[in-house]
Amino acid sequence: VRLQQSGPDLVKPSQTISLTCIASGAESSVPYRYWTWIRQSSGKGLEWMGTMDYSGRSSYDPLMKNRASLFWDRPGNQLTLQLNSVIPEDTAVYYCIRGAYYSNSYHLAVGQGTQVTVST
């Protein structure tokens, strides 16, 4: 499975950003178990943003303060992260991770990362 990410690279504070992660390739038709977005800021560790499970239920880091939302496009086999009211502290590299079970084992695919900079 390959994950291709897309999204803006430079946004202004208070704007809304949408980051999309599209799954393709072999085994991408296998239903995912969990689909997650994380990010890493300069000088900080990895931060979990949110996860959508195989039933379509989503959970989020409470620190996102209800600014993050996940949207699953089943026909397009893609998951979109929407982050509202962005602030400079949201500047980070964002990654999507998709987990699926096939061939008798659990497989993780990771997107290439998207650098998002929030600045005036």
Side-chain angles (χ1 to χ4, degrees):
V1 176
R2 287 198 318 273
L3 300 182
Q4 180 65 44
Q5 296 179 212
S6 62
D9 54 359
L10 178 63
V11 295
K12 297 184 185 303
S14 80
Q15 289 185 331
T16 295
I17 63 171
S18 291
L19 297 170
T20 298
C21 178
I22 301 175
S24 65
E27 312 297 353
S28 64
S29 60
V30 175
Y32 71 92
R33 293 297 182 93
Y34 297 96
W35 211 332
T36 292
W37 280 93
I38 64 171
R39 70 183 183 184
Q40 185 167 29
S41 306
S42 177
K44 295 179 67 175
L46 295 172
E47 287 184 89
W48 171 64
M49 304 288 294
T51 296
M52 182 166 284
D53 70 17
Y54 51 87
S55 70
R57 291 174 300 189
S58 54
S59 56
Y60 304 95
D61 183 348
L63 294 178
M64 289 296 106
K65 298 181 181 178
N66 299 317
R67 295 192 297 125
S69 299
L70 293 172
F71 300 96
W72 177 38
D73 175 1
R74 183 172 186 170
N77 206 0
Q78 63 184 42
L79 186 71
T80 297
L81 169 69
Q82 181 175 295
L83 188 61
N84 301 321
S85 304
V86 295
I87 56 178
E89 289 73 19
D90 292 321
T91 295
V93 180
Y94 289 73
Y95 297 92
C96 60
I97 304 171
R98 183 180 185 272
Y101 188 86
Y102 55 88
S103 300
N104 297 317
S105 63
Y106 194 73
H107 298 261
L108 287 179
V110 184
Q112 81 276 20
T114 301
Q115 171 70 54
V116 177
T117 301
V118 182
S119 175
T120 56

